[in-house]
Amino acid sequence: MIFSADIEDWQQSVLDFDRPISQRVLNNTLQLLAILAEHQVQATFFVQGMVAERFPELITAIAAQGHELASHAYSHRPLYTLTPAQFKDELERSVYKLEDLTGQKVLGFRAPTFSVRTEILPWYCDTLQAFGLRYDSSIMLAQVRKVYGFADDSILAQIRARGLDTYPLSTCTILGKSLPVMGGGYFRIYPYALNRWLARQLNKTSGVFYMHPYELDTQEYQEVAKPAGISKAWAVHQFAGRSGMVNKLHKLLTDYPFTSFQAQYYH
């Protein structure tokens, strides 16, 4: 199975795009690196360009531990809010920074908030290839709150027809409905036993797990989100289950074999 992490700062990427990157993303990602090292797991880190600029030492630490560096754009703005020229700038400021810091070729991309849309595919795929990228991991084959996701897998064929590999996020089928599994808030909120039960359908080689290091941060609600005045409903969505994430990760990394996209497909 693939272990992937989206390296971003919650308060900048979710709360306010114009906030500066905070120290929290450095601390949270270092905690994740320590957990992965304990289990001798290599992963793919989709890094936001603003994070790479703010903490270049974090990028070199990720690379030194043997993980794959991939792009998560620059500012975390949804792709469908950008022009083709703006996306080119976002990609350039992420990919070139990662490559300059590590000397490694960046192969992969994950769109902020899985914001790929059918109508942007022509310039989206062309731009990724123009920077030498080989794969996308932005597609959720389940419709989630009408915010992201696709009802069927035809989007995969469209991306592949344009010359890119694509690796969708993991889903399972319950009562004929496709549901996300092994990632983000779903993994964080569901009891671990339920996660394992839902994941029983997954291909243990091609399944994709994803998370954000900020999901390990148990103080962010009190110190950042609550003072910002976020709603109770949003607080539950964003912060529920964070206190149990470390234990869940140790169980996950014990129960499943993990690797990176690069090690699995591009070695």
Side-chain angles (χ1 to χ4, degrees):
M1 196 176 295
I2 306 299
F3 191 107
S4 64
D6 296 352
I7 310 305
E8 60 195 67
D9 185 23
W10 180 84
Q11 57 188 290
Q12 188 279 327
S13 64
V14 179
L15 187 62
D16 180 359
F17 294 139
D18 294 319
R19 281 200 181 201
I21 298 294
S22 78
Q23 182 81 17
R24 306 187 87 96
V25 67
L26 175 63
N27 298 337
N28 297 334
T29 307
L30 290 176
Q31 184 180 7
L32 175 60
L33 283 172
I35 293 170
L36 292 172
E38 182 177 340
H39 292 269
Q40 299 182 309
V41 166
Q42 290 184 332
T44 297
F45 283 65
F46 291 95
V47 181
Q48 188 184 339
M50 290 179 70
V51 173
E53 283 186 353
R54 176 71 174 83
F55 296 113
E57 69 276 20
L58 176 62
I59 308 311
T60 55
I62 293 169
Q65 196 167 305
H67 301 293
E68 176 188 7
L69 274 300
S71 174
H72 196 41
Y74 179 78
S75 70
H76 209 267
R77 286 176 168 82
L79 300 191
Y80 51 77
T81 68
L82 304 176
T83 66
Q86 288 171 330
F87 178 57
K88 179 178 180 293
D89 180 65
E90 288 257 337
L91 200 59
E92 181 174 323
R93 296 175 77 182
S94 171
V95 170
Y96 287 168
K97 186 66 174 179
L98 294 174
E99 292 180 344
D100 287 347
L101 287 169
T102 67
Q104 299 178 8
K105 184 74 187 76
V106 172
L107 302 177
F109 181 81
R110 177 170 290 158
T113 62
F114 309 131
S115 53
V116 174
R117 298 291 185 270
T118 304
E119 60 269 21
I120 74 170
L121 282 184
W123 56 260
Y124 172 71
C125 295
D126 287 350
T127 306
L128 292 188
Q129 291 181 89
F131 284 87
L133 275 66
R134 297 181 60 181
Y135 73 86
D136 162 89
S137 181
S138 310
I139 304 302
M140 178 72 75
L141 297 176
Q143 292 188 299
V144 181
R145 298 181 291 109
K146 298 183 179 180
V147 176
Y148 59 79
F150 294 85
D152 61 65
D153 63 1
S154 62
I155 184 73
L156 303 181
Q158 293 178 62
I159 293 173
R160 290 167 182 153
R162 292 184 174 277
L164 286 171
D165 298 330
T166 181
Y167 305 105
L169 286 301
S170 293
T171 58
C172 62
T173 302
I174 302 295
L175 299 177
K177 183 177 177 61
S178 184
L179 298 173
V181 65
M182 281 293 193
Y186 318 104
F187 179 78
R188 173 167 44 85
I189 294 171
Y190 296 165
Y192 184 74
L194 178 58
N195 277 292
R196 273 191 60 88
W197 184 78
L198 292 173
R200 73 196 188 285
Q201 303 174 14
L202 297 184
N203 183 304
K204 297 305 186 293
T205 299
S206 61
V208 178
F209 174 84
Y210 79 96
M211 66 166 292
H212 309 85
Y214 63 64
E215 293 177 288
L216 302 173
D217 191 337
T218 59
Q219 302 303 311
E220 192 162 37
Y221 174 70
Q222 290 293 336
E223 296 175 2
V224 179
K226 189 175 181 180
I230 72 169
S231 69
K232 290 183 178 180
W234 196 19
V236 170
H237 179 267
Q238 293 291 312
F239 295 95
R242 286 195 183 192
S243 62
M245 274 294 289
V246 169
N247 286 338
K248 281 185 179 178
L249 276 181
H250 282 297
K251 291 178 182 178
L252 180 79
L253 295 168
T254 299
D255 289 346
Y256 298 89
F258 282 101
T259 190
S260 66
F261 286 106
Q262 185 175 37
Q264 182 68 32
Y265 299 110
Y266 303 102
H267 53 279

